[in-house]
Amino acid sequence: MSLEHIRQLIATLENNIASVVFGKRTAIRQCLVAFLAGEHVLLEDVPGLGKTLLARAIARSVKGEFSRLQFTPDLLPADITGSSIYEANTRQFQFVKGPIFANVLLADEINRTTPRTQSAMLEAMNERQVSAEGQTYPLPKPFFVVATENPVEFEGTYPLPESQLDRFLLRVSVGYPDRESELHVLKSHRLGQPIDRLEPVLACDQVLELQEAVKQVRVDEAIDRYILDIVEVTRKCDDLYVGVSTRGAIAFSRAVQAYALIEGRDFVVPDDVKMLAVPVLAHRVMAKTYSHGNQRQSVESLIAHLVDMVTVPT
């Protein structure tokens, strides 16, 4: 697949999503970084800003299976992965696949379920498979989890374990739209939901080809060293209990490859690294001191400050 053809496919996908998700180009691109890198994304923002809409738009833009799971305190692991049901005709137990067997899974309000149920997602997100009752079942390809959570409301929620957070390539804030985009939203919803008229523009096979193309994006050794310099400074920072892990460094490298391809290049530049440092790294560290209400903002500001301290390769 030529670079020009790749550019056209990515632009078509991005524009299709943007046709119903107005004024959110940065959030769309960050979600596509995770999607094309073959990883997952966590959308964290207050209700009503389009997190679910963005996930549905990605799912509708790709001709594949889409599932939505509303996470609640009484949700059980089997409600996600599936369970065995006794078949009277055959006198045998038959495994019935759960909603996780989809190409795009929307895990809505993922922090509202118990840690036990959250852990049911770990194997699926990391290994692309589900183990149930002694059997292993592969998940469809591509497999993409878009999880959402509300960072403001803490009643009835469970903090995501660090191991769970580490499975998300990026943590993305959707944010409020600008005034013109919000005016467009009001007008477009008068005749119904624009998402209902969205048509797929890519097949699953094409997505897999794009994911393979991401792996071929060139990363010079100077960029690798730049990434590791940023990772190392988080480990030495006095304001952090825990810095970025080796797994986080690998995820960072994969993310910048995907971003470069979205930008239409088959090589990574330092600006790609700086652009993604905060959304890729901020949820992978633990700060020593912060007030409960502004934890995310404090950590993100700290990561941005640390990145500015690192010498950029030329």
Side-chain angles (χ1 to χ4, degrees), residues 233-255:
V233 79
T234 68
R235 298 170 182 172
K236 295 180 178 179
C237 178
D238 292 335
D239 294 322
L240 296 175
Y241 275 122
V242 178
V244 178
S245 66
T246 302
R247 181 190 293 162
I250 295 170
F252 197 6
S253 178
R254 188 177 299 123

Side-chain angles (χ1 to χ4, degrees), residues 58-65 103 142 199-205 207:
I58 294 172
R60 276 184 167 267
S61 297
V62 176
K63 196 172 184 180
E65 293 294 326
N103 296 115
E199 296 292 334
V201 293
L202 259 67
C204 286
D205 289 345
V207 174

Side-chain angles (χ1 to χ4, degrees), residues 153-201:
E153 188 177 352
F154 299 105
E155 185 130 4
T157 63
Y158 301 84
L160 293 181
E162 283 73 23
S163 57
Q164 177 96 35
L165 282 172
D166 209 32
R167 269 35 178 212
F168 292 105
L169 184 63
L170 300 97
R171 182 177 63 181
V172 176
S173 175
V174 177
Y176 290 99
D178 59 74
R179 187 175 178 85
E180 287 303 313
S181 297
E182 200 158 18
L183 181 62
H184 197 176
V185 170
L186 295 180
K187 292 179 179 178
S188 66
H189 280 69
R190 290 200 178 112
L191 298 177
Q193 296 286 342
I195 187 72
D196 294 335
R197 300 186 292 273
L198 200 65
E199 296 292 334
V201 293

Side-chain angles (χ1 to χ4, degrees), residues 222-230 270 273-274 307 310-313:
I223 297 294
D224 282 335
R225 292 185 181 277
Y226 183 39
I227 289 172
L228 291 181
D229 287 343
I230 294 173
V273 177
K274 296 189 72 172
V307 172
V310 177
T311 303
V312 179

Side-chain angles (χ1 to χ4, degrees), residues 7-68:
R7 286 174 179 168
Q8 291 174 359
L9 289 178
I10 294 176
T12 300
L13 177 59
E14 181 179 350
N15 291 332
N16 199 56
I17 297 168
S19 68
V20 294
V21 184
F22 306 119
K24 308 287 186 183
R25 283 284 181 174
T26 298
I28 291 171
R29 287 204 155 196
Q30 289 176 343
C31 286
L32 290 182
V33 165
F35 190 32
L36 299 184
E39 297 294 328
H40 315 287
V41 66
L42 175 63
L43 301 179
E44 186 182 88
D45 222 318
V46 297
L49 296 186
K51 299 187 296 296
T52 302
L53 175 65
L54 178 51
R56 290 180 62 199
I58 294 172
R60 276 184 167 267
S61 297
V62 176
K63 196 172 184 180
E65 293 294 326
F66 170 67
S67 288
R68 175 177 176 173

